[in-house]
Amino acid sequence: ATALFLSFVSIASTAELDATDALIQKSMFDQGLATPERLDLFRFRRQLSLVRTERRKQHAAEKLKALWDNRNAPPEVRAEAGYEWSNFYRQSKEKKNTVVAVLTSAFELAGGSGSIAEKALFRRGTVQNSVDPKRPDFFFADMRLLLDRFPNGRLADDALYQVATEHLFGEAPDQERAFSYFEKLRAFQGANDWMDSAYVLAAFGLVDRGTAADFKAADRLLASYVERFPDGAFRLRSLFWRGRIAERDNDTAAAQGFFQRIADEAPYDYYGLRASMHLEGGASAISMALPRADSKTWSRVREAYRRRGPDVELEGTTPYHDRLRAAERNGLYRQLLAIADGLGRRFRNRLDNIPL
C-alpha cells in the first residue's frame, strides 16, 4: 500500500489525498518511513512540474516557500524547497532579489556541495544575467565558482556553454575568451549536451571576426566536427559553411564538392536548397533569399512537388489517417498551424546572425 501511495503521489498532478491516503500517510510517519516535511517536498515539487494551470502551480510554489521558511525542517529539505521555489520564479523581475537571496541561502544551507548546491549556484548565475537589472559580473563569478567547485558536475557543461556564449553574443563581447571556453567545452570529458555548439558556434564566431587565419581555423573546426560526428545535428550546416569558406578563397572545386555533397544528401533541406543555389549561381547566391524563378533549383523543387502528389483528400484507411481527419474536422489542425506560424514569426532571427 505504501509503494502504491508513493507511486500515486509521484504521478498525480494534484496529489489530493482521500481518507485512505491519509491513513497510509499517517502509517508512514508512525513507522519512521517519511517525515511530513520530506513528503511535502516530494508532493509539491511533483505538483510544480506536473500541474498545468498557473493557479495550481503558484499554490505548489508557495507551499515550497513555506517549507523553505520552516526553520524546523531538515536543512537539506529546506535547501531543495528553496531551490525549487526560486527555479519557478527565475524569470520574475519583481521577485529577483528574493530569488537570489533564497538561492544564496540554499547554497550555504547545502554546505556548498552536492547537487542542490550546484543547481542553486547555476540558477543564481543565470538569474543575474537574464533578469533586469542584469549583473553579468555576478553571472561570471557564479559560473567560475561552479566550475571550480564542481569541475565534473552535471551542470559543468552548461556553465561552460553559458560563459562561452555570453562572451560571444553578450553585451560586451570578448571573442578570445569565448573561443577559450568553447575549447574547454570540446575537451570536457563528462556528459556534454553542447558538443555540437562547441564546434559550430566557435566556427561561426571565427567567420564573423573574419581574418584569413580565422577562416582557416573555422574550416578546421568544421572539418573536425563532421569527422568526429558524421551524423551530428549540424552536419549539413558545417558542410555548407566549409563550402562557403572555400568559395570565399576562390577554391571553386572544393566549394562545389561540398555543395554537391549536401545537394545529393538532402536536396530539399534548407541547406540542400542553399547549396543548389551556390552550385548554380556561385557567390551571387549569398544575397538571394530564394532561388530565382527561372533557375534550375526552382524548377527542380517545383517539379518534385508536382510529382509527389500529396494526399489532400486523406484517402488512407490507417488509424493515423483517422486521427488526421478528426483533427481536421474539429479545427485542431487549423489551430496548430496558426500556433506554428506564430512561433515562426516570433523566432525568425537566426542565432548566428550571419547572412547566407
Side-chain angles (χ1 to χ4, degrees):
T2 300
L4 290 173
F5 171 74
L6 290 175
S7 295
F8 156 71
V9 173
S10 69
I11 63 174
S13 61
T14 58
E16 295 174 349
L17 307 184
D18 61 19
T20 301
D21 295 326
L23 287 174
I24 296 173
Q25 179 178 268
K26 182 178 182 304
S27 176
M28 291 174 61
F29 295 158
D30 292 343
Q31 297 177 60
L33 299 176
T35 64
E37 294 84 8
R38 289 185 184 279
L39 192 57
D40 280 348
L41 172 63
F42 184 68
R43 288 177 59 198
F44 295 120
R45 184 184 61 199
R46 295 295 295 169
Q47 287 184 32
L48 204 59
S49 65
L50 291 174
V51 296
R52 292 291 176 263
T53 62
E54 191 63 22
R55 181 179 61 82
R56 284 189 176 273
K57 279 184 175 293
Q58 290 177 353
H59 171 75
E62 293 314 311
K63 289 290 186 180
L64 289 167
K65 183 63 162 56
L67 191 54
W68 160 255
D69 291 332
N70 181 4
R71 301 286 175 153
N72 295 320
E76 66 275 13
V77 172
R78 290 189 62 218
E80 187 166 357
Y83 166 77
E84 294 292 348
W85 178 85
S86 301
N87 190 50
F88 178 70
Y89 285 110
R90 65 188 181 275
Q91 296 178 330
S92 170
K93 182 177 180 180
E94 293 74 18
K95 296 181 183 294
K96 178 180 179 179
N97 290 337
T98 305
V99 165
V100 169
V102 170
L103 288 170
T104 300
S105 296
F107 175 78
E108 295 169 352
L109 200 59
S113 62
S115 63
I116 296 302
E118 183 183 13
K119 291 195 292 186
L121 190 57
F122 180 82
R123 183 55 66 215
R124 186 177 70 179
T126 56
V127 167
Q128 292 284 25
N129 202 40
S130 61
V131 181
D132 291 330
K134 296 180 182 179
R135 294 298 306 270
D137 50 339
F138 288 174
F139 159 77
F140 285 123
D142 280 344
M143 295 301 111
R144 285 194 298 268
L145 180 57
L146 188 151
L147 292 169
D148 181 60
R149 289 280 186 95
F150 310 97
N152 300 306
R154 294 182 62 182
L155 294 173
D157 62 320
D158 298 276
L160 289 169
Y161 175 79
Q162 288 286 333
V163 174
T165 52
E166 179 62 24
H167 280 312
L168 190 61
F169 301 117
E171 296 180 1
D174 187 331
Q175 291 174 314
E176 282 302 326
R177 287 190 176 182
F179 299 148
S180 174
Y181 275 96
F182 278 128
E183 185 176 3
K184 292 177 182 178
L185 189 55
R186 291 193 297 274
F188 184 65
Q189 296 298 309
N192 191 341
D193 294 328
W194 306 104
M195 188 63 80
D196 298 292
S197 298
Y199 281 89
V200 176
L201 290 185
F204 287 169
L206 289 163
V207 168
D208 184 54
R209 193 164 66 176
T211 69
D214 287 333
F215 280 107
K216 291 184 183 298
D219 186 63
R220 288 194 298 270
L221 274 178
L222 296 171
S224 296
Y225 172 74
V226 173
E227 181 179 358
R228 185 174 179 184
F229 305 102
D231 298 317
F234 293 155
R235 169 183 169 78
L236 295 179
R237 182 178 296 198
S238 298
L239 291 174
F240 178 80
W241 277 97
R242 291 201 71 193
R244 281 288 309 276
I245 292 170
E247 189 175 63
R248 174 192 174 277
D249 292 340
N250 296 315
D251 190 344
T252 304
Q256 290 190 340
F258 288 121
F259 293 142
Q260 192 63 57
R261 283 173 65 183
I262 302 167
D264 292 341
E265 186 174 322
Y268 304 113
D269 180 87
Y270 172 79
Y271 286 102
L273 293 174
R274 300 297 310 183
S276 295
M277 293 167 63
H278 279 268
L279 284 170
E280 188 173 355
S284 65
I286 296 173
S287 61
M288 298 179 190
L290 295 170
R292 294 192 309 272
D294 60 348
S295 67
K296 294 179 181 178
T297 301
W298 184 272
S299 298
R300 178 170 57 80
V301 173
R302 185 172 59 240
E303 183 59 28
Y305 180 78
R306 287 174 176 170
R307 288 198 310 268
R308 183 170 175 266
D311 180 14
V312 295
E313 300 299 328
L314 288 177
E315 295 175 351
T317 58
T318 68
Y320 175 72
H321 285 84
D322 290 340
R323 292 182 68 182
L324 284 178
R325 277 189 284 269
E328 183 182 27
R329 285 195 303 271
N330 62 25
L332 177 61
Y333 190 60
R334 184 181 304 106
Q335 185 177 1
L336 288 175
L337 285 177
I339 293 171
D341 184 58
L343 288 173
R345 288 195 299 270
R346 184 177 177 184
F347 298 106
R348 192 152 289 157
N349 290 332
R350 297 197 329 278
L351 178 65
D352 54 55
N353 199 30
I354 300 173
L356 293 175

